Amino acid sequence: MSETGPAPRPPQLADLITAKRDVRALEKLGLYSLEDALRYFPRRYIYPGQPTPIRDLEPESTAVVLAWVVGVSSRHMRNRRGKLTTVTLSDGMGTITATFFNQPWLEAKLLPEQWVALTGKASLYRGQLQLSNPVLLNQAAGEAPDLDEISHPIPIYRASAQISTQRIQRLIRVLLDSAPPEALADPLPADVRLAHGLPDYRQALEYVHRPMGEREPEQALERFKFEEAFALQAELRTRRVRTELEPAVALPGEAGGQLRAFDESLPFELTASQRRAGTEISKDLASTSPMNRLLHGDVGSGKTLVALRAMLQAVDSGKQAALLAPTEVLAGQHFRSLSAMLGPLAEDGSLFANPSGVRLALLTGSTPAKERRKIALDLVAGEIDIVVGTHALLSDSTIFHDLGLVVVDEQHRFGVRQREQLRAKGSGAVPHTLVMTATPIPRTVAMTVFGDLDVSVLRELPGGPRAIASHVVSLADHPHWAARMWEVVGERVAAGQQAFVVASRIETQEALTDPETGEPVPEAVGVADLAERIAALPALRGARIEVLHGRLEQGEKDVIMSRFAHGEFDVLVATTVIEVGVDVPNARTMVIMDADRFGIAQLHQLRGRVGRAGDDAVCFFATNRPEAHESAERLATVAGTLDGFALADYDVEQRREGDVLGRSQWGARTSLRYLSVIRDEPIVLAARTAAHRLVDEDPELDRHRALRAYIDRLLVRDDSDWMETS
Ligand code: ADP
Ligand code: MG
């Protein structure tokens, strides 16, 4: 029946297992194919060891008991649905009862005088020791337990009311013994496996489902982790090799160009990281293979400046550059900060503008139609050098004269598809791409999520590390701390400084009970209410307080922000809209109310708004959650360090793997099952080196079909465009 055509249907359990009941039960567990079943790994193993005589059992200890059945009875449980089966056991010197929930079939299996081996925890119930829901180690009814068999680790599978772990074990072992060789083709090439001392696929499956020794399941796990890491890295490398084959236009810059003029106009020195990143980018741009680089670094590390220098190199090479932001607000901010940085080098249409300057434009969804048409025409005509915008830049109506460089801010909100759309806008050639993100990314995550990109990191902050004294203020446990906190704010305002106060919401949300957990959820105060309450505090008598939030018009927001920057009022009570925006060096105090409602990255980003090197800045993380709440550790961690990279590591550790990898990066959902890209760093690194070597020899994996097929199964495609665009 074997065919040579592409991708034959993988063997299905329904074709391999005769008992339909078993097939249905396995399908309910999500197992459809032979591979699903073979890769259905136990939740845990029991390492039984030697049997313990019943009279020697101790409460709360786990043991193996070897005994015969004295009697069995079942009854319906009163308060719970289901049946309870009670088995009385004896080993001649002692007796004990074992209770089983919802396994009524045991009654037929456990006949009086039948020998059984079981393992579980002995516990006291009404003064008597009993084994509650132990695992039965016998395989078949009527047979004595095989003492040799039960001395091996016993896999315990996630089971269900329809099928027991013992039955699953049995079925999987039969499948493993009868699997055709094609089904056991190893995705890992033999030399890679040997070089890393890993068992082959079949052997690893034996180790998983039929381990002879305690170490075998671990050895198998190592292999499956490596396999996942290897497959991901091979896929990333394949994509990378493909993009390198596309031609790009070299952007060598110009010796006496705008970049040079800009560098000379800078009132400060570049940081060492900025210089290094700048050199890396400049070299990439000068090449005819497209740049695909990620630039990451903490808030304020100077990424925008690095991006601007790259864009100037493109402009000096006679090309256009586009900066893409995830939201209109951010696009507007980028536009303003680029204009500000360029200063007189920008030709912004104003009266005294530099006519030979860099021509900047902002194009977003809210740009009026008339202006938008003008910008569109100027873009086609090559009258604009740098355009900043949102998704609107991706629409078909935006045509570039000659797009050489695309800078994407906050990549994680852009899908692979958008990146491809932009690429298609380069006339004939592929534009160079620089991706920026303000979230520091742990090394192995960067390698996995952005593994097809080169990486530049801005490690230090201009002017050296910041000093921001950070305090968690637990108002639930220490209500009187509130007064002290506001006193500090008041004292600093009285001394002529300014302060940010951050609210988690625009409107106040009253205290309530979580319908799911039944936990009390404290009130979350809205901006206006918060401003009113603060104004009434004796500590802040006379302070000038204003409010800012995302529902205000952009123009209004800008006015408030700029008045604050000019010191026209003292306290700005705001939502997270202040996360990014103009610098206010005189604001060196921040209070974040209901800090438990923010994520780590956000708290860190907000705090970054106060404090430059040498400042005596203070940030309070106020919370109405008790110290026992799960948010307490998060707040303590953020308060405990100013190191964005350390916080990123912590943040990623807290999240589920899937959230870390995201989905847009891959254009597909990855279903990593064993590998943790954080904890398994050595495996990721080793697999990466091996995968690169392999792909460099066989870029499309033509000679590694089993690996190719495995990768395709690992990346569960859910974005149909992905196939065509990658
Ligand atoms: P990021 O985008 O990484 O958050 P920015 O590029 O916005 O950081 O820079 C933050 C601030 O630091 C800006 O005001 C910028 O002008 C300033 N800055 C950037 N690089 C330097 C430097 N090398 N020395 C001093 N100030 C710098
Ligand atoms: Mg910035």
Side-chain angles (χ1 to χ4, degrees):
M1 226 193 55
S2 87
E3 289 170 32
T4 46
R9 184 166 167 269
Q12 298 294 301
L13 294 178
D15 307 330
L16 300 168
I17 297 174
T18 35
K20 293 290 160 254
R21 207 171 154 254
D22 286 335
V23 174
R24 275 198 306 275
L26 292 174
E27 286 180 351
K28 271 204 155 159
L29 293 170
L31 311 177
Y32 295 89
S33 68
L34 172 60
E35 186 183 19
D36 292 341
L38 294 180
R39 287 178 178 270
Y40 191 61
F41 291 2
R43 276 191 298 131
R44 63 192 173 97
Y45 293 86
I46 292 175
Y47 302 94
Q50 292 303 308
T52 305
I54 290 173
R55 65 174 182 201
D56 293 344
L57 288 176
E58 308 238 5
E60 299 308 304
S61 67
T62 299
V64 176
V65 170
L66 189 61
W68 68 80
V69 177
V70 176
V72 185
S73 66
S74 288
R75 61 178 171 83
H76 283 280
M77 282 180 283
R78 241 175 292 136
N79 300 325
R80 299 161 61 183
R81 291 208 290 152
K83 251 179 156 184
L84 184 72
T85 305
T86 305
V87 183
T88 310
L89 301 161
S90 166
D91 62 1
M93 290 171 294
T95 60
I96 190 167
T97 56
T99 54
F100 297 87
F101 301 108
N102 283 336
Q103 300 179 46
W105 45 270
L106 281 174
E107 220 174 330
K109 183 172 172 179
L110 299 178
L111 306 171
E113 297 190 15
Q114 150 95 46
W115 275 91
V116 293
L118 23 77
T119 181
K121 198 195 245 176
S123 48
L124 280 173
Y125 180 73
R126 296 192 175 150
Q128 295 284 311
L129 268 188
Q130 77 168 30
L131 292 165
S132 162
N133 236 16
V135 176
L136 200 61
L137 305 175
N138 289 44
Q139 289 307 313
E143 275 171 29
D146 176 343
L147 278 183
D148 184 48
E149 168 82 5
I150 66 170
S151 69
H152 303 311
I154 297 157
I156 305 296
Y157 297 88
R158 187 166 63 83
S160 68
Q162 283 80 42
I163 191 162
S164 68
T165 169
Q166 288 88 351
R167 181 86 189 138
I168 295 172
Q169 172 186 323
R170 228 175 127 78
L171 289 170
I172 291 180
R173 287 180 181 183
V174 170
L175 290 169
L176 181 55
D177 291 337
S178 59
E182 316 86 79
L184 296 174
D186 198 335
L188 283 181
D191 54 340
V192 172
R193 225 170 50 222
L194 288 174
H196 294 85
L198 301 168
D200 70 26
Y201 186 38
R202 159 146 222 145
Q203 184 68 62
L205 291 174
E206 287 284 338
Y207 285 178
V208 167
H209 299 295
R210 194 153 36 202
M212 304 303 272
E214 294 201 4
R215 292 264 307 122
E216 289 182 359
E218 285 165 44
Q219 284 174 279
L221 183 62
E222 284 291 293
R223 180 224 136 87
F224 287 110
K225 283 180 172 184
F226 187 94
E227 183 180 76
E228 283 185 341
F230 185 79
L232 286 182
Q233 294 297 334
E235 171 66 11
L236 287 166
R237 189 63 170 184
T238 304
R239 291 185 191 185
R240 178 61 195 255
V241 170
R242 278 185 211 143
T243 45
E244 271 172 6
L245 291 174
E246 302 170 301
V249 174
L251 307 176
E254 187 196 349
Q258 305 282 10
L259 176 57
R260 168 86 178 278
F262 176 72
D263 282 348
E264 282 170 358
S265 77
L266 276 180
F268 46 69
E269 296 273 303
L270 298 183
T271 63
S273 293
Q274 283 174 322
R275 266 200 306 278
R276 197 175 334 108
T279 310
E280 288 161 353
I281 292 167
S282 176
K283 222 172 112 199
D284 285 358
L285 290 176
S287 148
T288 51
S289 85
M291 170 167 79
N292 278 290
R293 187 170 283 279
L294 171 72
L295 174 66
H296 71 105
D298 225 329
V299 201
S301 56
K303 294 180 294 295
T304 314
L305 183 78
V306 173
L308 175 56
R309 294 186 68 249
M311 293 194 278
L312 291 177
Q313 181 167 336
V315 173
D316 283 341
S317 313
K319 300 281 168 179
Q320 293 169 302
L323 171 55
L324 220 58
T327 64
E328 292 200 6
V329 175
L330 275 173
Q333 249 151 27
H334 275 308
F335 175 73
R336 286 186 290 276
S337 88
L338 293 184
S339 311
M341 281 191 215
L342 283 170
L345 293 176
E347 203 253 278
D348 58 0
S350 65
L351 194 53
F352 302 105
N354 170 2
S356 63
V358 179
R359 295 159 300 181
L360 273 183
L362 173 66
L363 182 64
T364 69
S366 62
T367 307
K370 196 171 154 211
E371 198 182 327
R372 197 189 307 200
R373 271 196 300 277
K374 164 99 170 72
I375 293 174
L377 287 175
D378 285 350
L379 275 174
V380 185
E383 300 283 325
I384 289 171
D385 299 313
I386 296 176
V387 62
V388 182
T390 54
H391 295 80
L393 279 184
L394 300 178
S395 74
D396 290 338
S397 58
T398 319
I399 301 165
F400 289 85
H401 172 67
D402 204 350
L403 182 62
L405 169 64
V406 178
V407 178
V408 182
D409 189 20
E410 295 301 338
Q411 154 81 3
H412 58 274
R413 293 181 222 176
F414 273 97
V416 171
R417 206 184 322 177
Q418 279 95 330
R419 239 207 287 174
E420 296 304 328
Q421 270 178 305
L422 250 168
R423 279 206 188 144
K425 294 201 174 289
S427 35
V430 180
H432 297 273
T433 316
L434 179 67
V435 169
M436 298 196 287
T437 166
T439 320
I441 304 164
R443 185 163 74 132
T444 45
V445 175
M447 270 179 195
T448 309
V449 179
F450 302 106
D452 52 348
L453 307 181
D454 293 310
V455 179
S456 294
V457 190
L458 300 185
R459 281 270 158 208
E460 71 267 40
L461 301 179
R466 291 190 182 136
I468 307 171
S470 307
H471 307 282
V472 177
V473 182
S474 302
L475 300 171
D477 297 278
H478 310 279
H480 60 284
W481 285 3
R484 181 64 201 126
M485 175 175 83
W486 294 117
E487 265 166 38
V488 171
V489 178
E491 285 159 12
R492 295 167 72 99
V493 165
Q497 288 187 20
Q498 289 163 283
F500 287 107
V501 177
V502 183
S504 62
R505 306 174 50 88
I506 297 180
E507 311 278 1
T508 298
Q509 182 193 66
E510 283 171 21
L512 49 91
T513 305
D514 187 320
E516 263 170 44
T517 63
E519 245 189 275
V521 178
E523 175 205 65
V525 64
V527 260
D529 287 343
L530 183 56
E532 220 169 277
R533 289 182 210 177
I534 293 173
L537 292 170
L540 282 160
R541 189 165 301 135
R544 295 163 297 172
I545 300 170
E546 300 206 14
V547 167
L548 179 68
H549 58 76
R551 281 205 209 128
L552 300 173
E553 296 266 319
Q554 183 58 43
E556 212 174 330
K557 282 190 273 195
D558 289 342
V559 168
I560 294 171
M561 215 45 230
S562 107
R563 289 185 47 242
F564 189 55
H566 286 99
E568 291 177 25
F569 60 97
D570 308 305
V571 180
L572 179 60
V573 183
T575 55
T576 55
V577 289
I578 56 147
E579 206 172 29
V580 282
V582 270
D583 266 351
V584 187
N586 189 42
R588 300 206 281 275
T589 310
M590 177 174 281
V591 174
I592 302 179
M593 292 302 292
D594 303 312
D596 51 275
R597 299 199 171 229
F598 297 88
I600 287 178
Q602 213 169 18
L603 291 170
H604 179 61
Q605 188 117 358
L606 283 167
R607 173 175 58 185
R609 301 309 319 264
V610 292
R612 270 139 297 268
D615 279 359
D616 59 340
V618 178
C619 183
F620 294 106
F621 300 102
T623 173
N624 285 302
R625 292 281 195 180
E627 277 164 9
H629 188 252
E630 42 96 5
S631 63
E633 185 187 324
R634 196 164 70 228
L635 295 183
T637 305
V638 180
T641 181
L642 294 171
D643 181 346
F645 287 90
L647 288 175
D649 277 341
Y650 174 83
D651 194 9
V652 168
E653 263 171 43
Q654 300 304 302
R655 280 186 282 164
R656 291 206 355 268
E657 202 73 14
D659 301 340
V660 175
L661 294 182
R663 145 198 208 155
S664 55
Q665 299 314 322
W666 285 90
R669 205 152 33 82
T670 53
S671 46
L672 290 189
R673 288 213 266 170
Y674 318 110
L675 183 73
S676 157
V677 294
I678 315 298
R679 284 178 287 278
D680 297 321
E681 173 161 338
I683 297 178
V684 174
L685 296 180
R688 178 179 165 91
T689 309
H692 284 192
R693 196 171 306 136
L694 180 98
V695 173
D696 291 348
E697 279 168 20
D698 181 15
E700 294 295 330
L701 305 180
D702 294 331
R703 282 177 278 123
H704 296 91
R705 291 297 171 105
L707 175 60
R708 182 71 259 165
Y710 173 71
I711 292 171
D712 291 342
R713 291 192 301 271
L714 191 65
L715 302 178
V716 187
R717 303 227 154 88
D718 58 0
D719 179 345
S720 51
D721 281 358
W722 187 79
M723 289 262 278
E724 300 141 38
T725 55
S726 67

